[in-house]
Amino acid sequence: MVPGFLLVQGLCFPLVKACVFGNEPKASDEVPLAPRTETAETTPVWQALKLLFCATGLQVSYLTWGVLQERVMTRSYGATATSPGERFTDSQFLVLMNRVLALIVAGLSCVLCKQPRHGAPMYRYSFASLSNVLSSWCQYEALKFVSFPTQVLAKASKVIPVMLMGKLVSRRSYEHWEYLTAGLISIGVSMFLLSSGPEPRSSPATTLSGLILLAGYIAFDSFTSNWQDALFSYKMSSVQMMFGVNLFSCLFTVGSLLEQGALLEGTRFMGRHSEFAAHALLLSICSACGQLFIFYTIGQFGAAVFTIIMTLRQAFAILLSCLLYGHTVTVVGGLGVAVVFAALLLRVYARGRLKQRGKKPVPMESPVQKV
């Protein structure tokens, strides 16, 4: 018992301390948060290549993640000519896999790269962790009841509850154009939802369940973003935030799975279906790698370029899902999608104009745990 305690004290505690609180000397407390990297290689060609690298990494990571997410939650495994196979139903197990791999990646990044020292109480990570776990669970569960294009469009419209949470949590004020674009997004989402016919396997009851789950996802995710923004006031890096949030997320999901007795069942399902194990592992890898691409892209090119890339990714995700899984979108629904993404790009343009005039726009939502 004593050697085990010494192992935890000698190995795990220094790792957590370095990841969560930083490993720089106290004299460097004034190090700015995530400074943009300055290199000698700033020629237009080199910058274009870096931008192409970032855009490709983000698109590949999250488009693959989206395709696998829909495959895992809506299709059967082990189907044969005589057996329909079985579906994976425990979203919490997928959340745990994603968080464990993200925790490992964030921990390695914190150990290998020097992190700023900060004084954020560890318990404050738990609030963002709990809301993040709940938002991820709602996101996976919603795919049992609504189509993937509907889910992506709901994510695109979360700017509205983010603004509401910003007023409640951070006491922020917004410009008139922000309310205008939020209204356009609402109109576009309404056009899509009202014009799209029901999925073949859905009914009004299941569609309503899916919309309630999507509303839960958006509400919890909006709280997560605003709470993380408040945590960044402690001058931590994005990787430290990623580690702290995922550390508590792993504790919450493991505790919940053990209490329900679902951890072993999820492991047995992986044992029965090697294809599911490969899909779940690749899904988690895409999620963790995508997070690192987010940090690098924002550090090199800023939040505006990152938002444009991710907005295009959402449009590509809808198109890819329709091609691979046979979802239908009417002309009016397509116009609704166009209105939503036009409004999102308008928001990016308006923020850029504000910066040019020397005005400070309201910060965009935290990049941590985008998916």
Side-chain angles (χ1 to χ4, degrees):
M1 193 69 185
V2 175
F5 173 77
L6 292 177
L7 178 64
V8 171
Q9 188 180 36
L11 179 62
C12 296
F13 179 73
L15 174 63
V16 172
K17 184 178 179 181
C19 293
V20 178
F21 296 114
N23 48 20
E24 289 187 348
K26 290 186 177 180
S28 62
D29 280 347
E30 300 301 319
V31 175
L33 170 63
R36 187 168 297 185
T37 305
E38 296 292 340
T39 65
E41 300 159 315
T42 55
T43 62
V45 174
W46 179 249
Q47 288 293 97
L49 288 175
K50 285 201 296 185
L51 180 59
L52 180 63
F53 171 73
C54 292
T56 303
L58 286 168
Q59 298 292 346
V60 171
S61 296
Y62 285 119
L63 287 176
T64 304
W65 177 86
V67 169
L68 289 173
Q69 182 192 33
E70 187 168 10
R71 168 67 181 89
V72 168
M73 296 306 300
T74 65
R75 298 296 188 270
S76 298
Y77 286 94
T80 62
T82 57
S83 171
E86 58 179 331
R87 287 191 178 184
F88 182 75
T89 58
D90 194 347
S91 300
Q92 279 192 92
F93 189 80
L94 277 182
V95 174
L96 176 62
M97 288 195 65
N98 289 349
R99 298 301 172 258
V100 167
L101 196 62
L103 180 69
I104 294 172
V105 170
L108 290 174
S109 300
C110 286
V111 171
L112 296 176
C113 304
K114 186 170 287 188
Q115 302 298 321
R117 183 178 293 274
H118 67 87
M122 282 198 67
Y123 76 90
R124 293 183 68 86
Y125 289 100
S126 64
F127 296 97
S129 296
L130 181 59
S131 60
N132 178 253
V133 167
L134 291 172
S135 70
S136 298
W137 179 85
C138 289
Q139 177 181 225
Y140 283 118
E141 285 292 309
L143 282 177
K144 298 177 182 178
F145 307 104
V146 298
S147 68
F148 184 77
T150 302
Q151 187 198 72
V152 171
L153 211 60
K155 290 183 185 180
S157 67
K158 72 180 181 182
V159 64
I160 302 169
V162 165
M163 290 172 63
L164 294 175
M165 286 289 183
K167 273 190 168 296
L168 294 174
V169 176
S170 306
R171 305 296 183 187
R172 288 176 179 163
S173 59
Y174 296 94
E175 301 285 341
H176 294 298
W177 59 265
E178 293 182 282
Y179 290 108
L180 172 63
T181 53
L184 287 175
I185 290 171
S186 300
I187 293 172
V189 172
S190 300
M191 289 172 62
F192 178 83
L193 293 178
L194 294 175
S195 66
S196 300
E199 292 290 303
R201 58 187 172 84
S202 69
S203 68
T206 58
T207 302
L208 178 61
S209 300
L211 294 178
I212 291 173
L213 286 166
L214 285 177
Y217 159 75
I218 292 172
F220 288 125
D221 192 67
S222 302
F223 176 84
T224 303
S225 299
N226 282 279
W227 191 267
Q228 287 175 336
D229 282 340
L231 279 179
F232 275 125
S233 64
Y234 288 98
K235 306 300 181 185
M236 67 183 68
S237 70
S238 296
V239 178
Q240 285 173 311
M241 172 75 77
M242 183 178 174
F243 182 89
V245 170
N246 281 295
L247 177 63
F248 279 99
S249 297
C250 289
L251 295 176
F252 288 145
T253 48
V254 166
S256 177
L257 287 168
L258 288 175
E259 191 274 333
Q260 299 174 41
L263 186 60
L264 286 177
E265 180 54 37
T267 306
R268 292 191 190 104
F269 192 93
M270 291 183 68
R272 291 196 301 271
H273 305 288
S274 58
E275 186 184 10
F276 166 78
H279 287 166
L281 180 61
L282 183 56
L283 186 147
S284 300
I285 291 173
C286 288
S287 177
C289 291
Q291 195 70 65
L292 296 180
F293 273 111
I294 287 175
F295 300 148
Y296 183 75
T297 303
I298 292 177
Q300 293 293 322
F301 301 102
V305 171
F306 163 73
T307 304
I308 292 173
I309 294 173
M310 294 302 281
T311 300
L312 293 175
R313 189 271 300 183
Q314 290 175 319
F316 292 151
I318 291 178
L319 177 62
L320 194 59
S321 178
C322 291
L323 291 175
L324 292 178
Y325 298 108
H327 302 298
T328 57
V329 178
T330 64
V331 174
V332 176
L335 289 175
V337 173
V339 168
V340 170
F341 290 115
L344 292 174
L345 293 175
L346 179 60
R347 289 178 67 85
V348 177
Y349 172 77
R351 286 177 179 274
R353 296 283 293 179
L354 276 181
K355 285 186 177 180
Q356 288 179 357
R357 293 176 183 175
K359 294 183 179 180
K360 186 177 180 182
V362 176
M364 293 187 180
E365 62 175 297
S366 166
V368 181
Q369 299 298 139
K370 284 292 290 186
V371 295

